[in-house]
Amino acid sequence: MTKNVENRARVQAGVKTGGQFAAEMHSEPAGISLMTEPSPLDKTAVGIVGALVRARSNMEMGAWQRRQDKGRYGYEHEPRDPVPEVLVELDRRAKYFETLPREEQEAVLEQLKMQQHQYLLKPGQQLGNEKVRLADNLDTSGNVGLALVAQKVVANAGIPGPVTMTEIGDRTAFTVQDGAIQHTIHIGANSLALSATPADGEDYQRGDWFSRAYISSSGGYVFETTRPEDLRRAYESFREYAVMMDVVADSSFRDAESSVGALDRSARTAELRAEGAEYVLDVSADEPALTTDGGTPLHPAMVRGFLDHVAAQTGHADGDALISNLREVFRETDRRLVQ
C-alpha cells in the first residue's frame, strides 16, 4: 500500500493612470521620479486577469439569464426584460479589460470580489519572488503565466526552506532541499503533485521507499484563494512521510520493502505482509497488537509466532527485534521532524 493522499467603486474621470500616476504619487524633490519599470511579463499577467474577469462576467450573465428563463415559465409570449445596465457595463469592461486604465481594472476586480488577483496588475512582473529563486539556465519558453501564479501560491503557502523554480511548462516545478532529500512540487492549473528523491541519485532502493510518499491530486483551481492553504497542508503531510521513508531506508527494514506496507507515525502502526495476506502491527502500547487488514484482532498466542515469522523474512533476529527497530523508526522520524 502506498501513501496517496490524495473582488463597486467607479473611477472618476481625470484620474491619472499607470506609470504617470505612480510617478506623481512618488515624486521626489529636484524633479526625480521613482517609477516601476515595466516588464515583458506585464502583458501576460494582465491577460491572465482579463481571462478570469471574462469568465466571471459570463457566469454572472448566465446566472441572470437562467433566472429570467425560470421566471418566464408560462409567460414565454411576453417580451424579455432588458439586461440590467450593471451587467451590460460589466460585459463591456470585461471584453476590453486589458485596455482599461489600471484603476478601472482594479475597480472591476473589486466589483467582482476578486481583489486577490490585483498583484498581477502591478507593473514590473517577474519570475521569482521573496520566497522563490530561479534555477540556473531556467527555460522560460513555457507557460509563464501559470508560473507567475504558481510562485505566488508557493510563497503564500509558507513552505519551509529555500524554494527553487526548476521548470516552466504545463505544470510549474519547484524543488525544496531538505537535508539529503529533494522535494519536488508540481503545480498545474488544476493539479498538484509532490514527490521526493534522494540526494544520491544512484540510491535506487531509497528512491523506491520515497515513491511511497508521492502525492497527486486533481481538481480545484490554481487561482482559488484556498490553494496556498491546500498546498501547505499537502506538503506538511507529504514531507512527514518522505522523512519517515528516509529513516526506513537507513534502518534494518531497508531491504524489507516487499514485507512492509504503509506506516502511520501518529498511530504507531505498520502493515506487514506474509503469505499473501496483510496484517496491521500496532506498537503504540507496551504490548504489540496485531489485526487483520479487516480489523479483526489476532489472539495474543498467535502474535508472537507471526512476528517471529515476519522477522525471519525481514532480516531480524526475532519478533522482539522487529518491534524494537520499528519503534526506533517512529522515534527517529519524530526527532527529524522537530529539528
Side-chain angles (χ1 to χ4, degrees), residues 46 92-93 95-102 104-105:
V46 175
R92 181 195 68 80
R93 286 170 139 190
K95 186 177 299 183
Y96 302 105
F97 185 84
E98 289 85 345
T99 67
L100 298 177
R102 179 179 168 188
E104 192 168 350
Q105 291 173 338

Side-chain angles (χ1 to χ4, degrees), residues 21-32:
F21 176 80
E24 293 187 11
M25 291 300 292
H26 299 86
S27 60
E28 296 288 338
I32 298 176

Side-chain angles (χ1 to χ4, degrees), residues 62-107:
W64 176 82
Q65 290 174 338
R66 286 190 294 273
R67 289 194 298 268
Q68 285 291 300
D69 292 341
K70 184 177 181 180
R72 282 172 56 79
Y73 183 75
Y75 298 90
E76 292 87 351
H77 60 285
E78 295 187 3
R80 290 179 173 271
D81 293 339
V83 178
E85 181 61 28
V86 64
L87 291 180
V88 173
E89 179 62 13
L90 175 60
D91 181 68
R92 181 195 68 80
R93 286 170 139 190
K95 186 177 299 183
Y96 302 105
F97 185 84
E98 289 85 345
T99 67
L100 298 177
R102 179 179 168 188
E103 288 79 5
E104 192 168 350
Q105 291 173 338
E106 292 180 346

Side-chain angles (χ1 to χ4, degrees), residues 286-302:
D286 291 339
E287 285 297 320
L290 199 66
T291 61
T292 66
D293 57 354
T296 303
L298 271 66
H299 191 279
M302 300 176 61

Side-chain angles (χ1 to χ4, degrees), residues 7-301:
N7 195 16
R8 272 177 248 273
R10 282 183 172 273
V11 177
Q12 297 179 355
V15 174
K16 296 179 175 61
T17 63
Q20 179 185 6
F21 176 80
E24 293 187 11
M25 291 300 292
H26 299 86
S27 60
E28 296 288 338
I32 298 176
S33 297
L34 300 179
M35 298 177 60
T36 302
E37 288 294 328
S39 161
L41 300 181
D42 293 349
K43 182 177 180 180
T44 297
V46 175
I48 293 172
V49 184
L52 293 172
V53 167
R54 282 186 285 277
R56 181 62 180 277
S57 176
N58 290 336
M59 290 175 58
E60 296 293 334
M61 185 69 77
W64 176 82
Q65 290 174 338
R66 286 190 294 273
R67 289 194 298 268
Q68 285 291 300
D69 292 341
K70 184 177 181 180
R72 282 172 56 79
Y73 183 75
Y75 298 90
E76 292 87 351
H77 60 285
E78 295 187 3
R80 290 179 173 271
D81 293 339
V83 178
E85 181 61 28
V86 64
L87 291 180
V88 173
E89 179 62 13
L90 175 60
D91 181 68
R92 181 195 68 80
R93 286 170 139 190
K95 186 177 299 183
Y96 302 105
F97 185 84
E98 289 85 345
T99 67
L100 298 177
R102 179 179 168 188
E103 288 79 5
E104 192 168 350
Q105 291 173 338
E106 292 180 346
V108 172
L109 294 183
E110 183 177 352
Q111 178 184 357
L112 296 174
K113 302 188 187 310
M114 296 170 62
Q115 296 98 321
Q116 71 270 23
H117 304 306
Q118 286 187 357
Y119 73 95
L120 290 168
L121 301 180
K122 296 179 179 179
Q125 293 289 320
Q126 63 181 0
L127 292 172
N129 55 34
E130 70 281 0
K131 180 66 178 180
V132 176
R133 74 178 190 88
L134 305 181
D136 296 337
N137 302 316
L138 176 66
D139 183 355
T140 60
S141 63
N143 191 343
V144 178
L146 174 60
L148 287 173
V149 178
Q151 67 180 12
K152 182 69 170 179
V153 171
V154 169
N156 289 349
I159 302 299
V163 181
T164 303
M165 184 186 298
T166 59
E167 184 180 346
I168 297 175
D170 292 337
R171 299 187 303 174
T172 305
F174 306 86
T175 59
V176 185
Q177 201 65 39
D178 183 12
I181 311 174
Q182 179 175 278
H183 305 300
T184 301
I185 304 170
H186 283 99
I187 299 179
N190 302 97
S191 65
L192 173 65
L194 304 169
S195 60
T197 53
D200 179 4
E202 299 299 316
D203 192 345
Y204 300 113
Q205 197 162 19
R206 189 180 303 271
D208 288 342
W209 284 105
F210 280 165
S211 68
R212 298 187 177 202
Y214 178 77
I215 291 176
S216 178
S217 64
S218 59
Y221 205 24
V222 70
F223 300 103
E224 292 176 348
T225 57
T226 58
R227 207 58 168 177
E229 178 60 18
D230 293 342
L231 173 58
R232 185 198 66 77
R233 287 188 283 103
Y235 183 83
E236 185 177 77
S237 174
F238 152 79
R239 178 179 179 267
E240 174 186 326
Y241 210 79
V243 168
M244 185 161 60
M245 292 302 96
D246 194 42
V247 173
V248 170
D250 283 331
S251 75
S252 61
F253 295 95
R254 176 180 174 86
D255 299 319
E257 187 178 8
S258 62
S259 299
V260 179
L263 282 75
D264 188 328
R265 181 179 68 94
S266 59
R268 265 16 187 202
T269 62
E271 291 181 352
L272 300 180
R273 305 175 182 134
E275 311 303 334
E278 288 189 351
Y279 300 85
V280 178
L281 173 62
D282 185 336
V283 296
S284 60
D286 291 339
E287 285 297 320
L290 199 66
T291 61
T292 66
D293 57 354
T296 303
L298 271 66
H299 191 279

